[in-house]
Amino acid sequence: MLVLAIAGCIFDYDEDSFVEAYAQVQCARLAECFRGYYEDEYDGEMDECIDDGEDAFDSVDNCDFDEDKAADCIEELRSDSCGDWYGDDHDDCWEVFDCGR
């Protein structure tokens, strides 16, 4: 029961916590699955990568946020194998913010 309660909290995102979680997971996966790119781009500096990842969301200030898609996105990013990353578009991640485009 405790595990389910903790898991429920982990996957309950608001806009700020989603952006933080996305940047952290994205950078960890870059370091794992795209090591050459990660080293070339960030010189092994995880904080720099995370800052860039968070900055990528600066343009979504006035957009609608979908909590369910946010949870699905983070779960998908965490659970995909490196091989899945090469071919997956991570559709849920593109749909977290609706900016009326």
Side-chain angles (χ1 to χ4, degrees):
M1 292 296 247
L2 179 60
V3 172
L4 292 176
I6 291 172
C9 292
I10 292 172
F11 296 112
D12 187 23
Y13 297 100
D14 63 15
E15 292 177 40
D16 291 335
S17 64
F18 167 75
V19 169
E20 291 172 15
Y22 180 90
Q24 290 173 358
V25 171
Q26 180 80 357
C27 289
R29 298 310 309 266
L30 280 175
E32 176 187 2
C33 300
F34 299 96
R35 190 69 182 182
Y37 170 81
Y38 172 78
E39 289 296 330
D40 286 344
E41 188 71 20
Y42 300 107
D43 199 28
E45 295 293 327
M46 184 62 70
D47 288 340
E48 187 177 321
C49 180
I50 291 171
D51 287 344
D52 278 359
E54 290 176 352
D55 290 347
F57 288 93
D58 285 348
S59 64
V60 298
D61 285 341
N62 295 316
C63 302
D64 292 330
F65 176 75
D66 187 319
E67 294 174 12
D68 293 332
K69 296 249 185 235
D72 292 344
C73 168
I74 298 299
E75 177 57 29
E76 185 178 350
L77 292 176
R78 285 184 174 145
S79 65
D80 274 359
S81 70
C82 288
D84 290 338
W85 267 62
Y86 291 106
D88 197 342
D89 291 331
H90 300 109
D91 292 334
D92 287 326
C93 298
W94 291 106
E95 298 172 0
V96 171
F97 290 97
D98 181 1
C99 300
R101 295 179 209 185

